[in-house]
Amino acid sequence: VQLQASGGGLVQAGGSRRLSCAASGSKFVINDMGWYREAPGKQRELVADITSGGSTKYADSVKGRFTISRDNAKNTVYLQMDSLKLEDTAVYYCNADYRTLGPVLVVGRAWGQGTLVTVSS
């Protein structure tokens, strides 16, 4: 399973940005999907995740400002980021927990390549 993230860029504080992450491959089922971020000098942290049934979880720092959603038919997860703050500047990584379909079961977590979001004043 491969993940391709997109949507990063430069945005002014208070603005919005939407990230997308699409999973590709053959014969797999995606379970939980999520977004993490890694700011300069800091550890990677969970931003939000969403189950296949649509239940969501958010970091306290983004609650009320970010919205995670997914399109199961497209194996795609989105992160709508509103009211962006300077401290939201980071490389954002998507991930997906998957299992393969076939005679041999493989369970794993795939990561996207990261997309940089820079919030300017």
Side-chain angles (χ1 to χ4, degrees), residues 16-110:
S16 298
R17 200 81 183 179
R18 189 192 196 209
L19 305 182
S20 300
C21 177
S24 62
S26 61
K27 298 181 179 180
F28 63 91
V29 173
I30 299 291
N31 296 318
D32 293 359
M33 303 184 82
W35 290 94
Y36 282 69
R37 67 185 180 187
E38 191 170 318
K42 295 186 177 181
Q43 289 187 330
R44 190 175 296 190
E45 62 174 359
L46 173 69
V47 176
D49 66 20
I50 183 168
T51 68
S52 57
S55 297
T56 59
K57 180 172 62 180
Y58 295 93
D60 288 343
S61 59
V62 306
K63 281 181 182 176
R65 300 189 297 120
F66 290 11
T67 303
I68 189 171
S69 62
R70 64 190 285 173
D71 184 333
N72 290 331
K74 296 181 179 180
N75 287 319
T76 300
V77 63
Y78 306 96
L79 185 67
Q80 177 66 41
M81 305 183 292
D82 299 317
S83 303
L84 282 161
K85 303 177 180 180
L86 297 179
E87 52 264 40
D88 293 320
T89 294
V91 178
Y92 285 72
Y93 298 90
C94 57
N95 69 9
D97 294 332
Y98 66 91
R99 59 183 173 85
T100 58
L101 301 173
V104 179
L105 175 64
V106 176
V107 177
R109 169 169 285 191

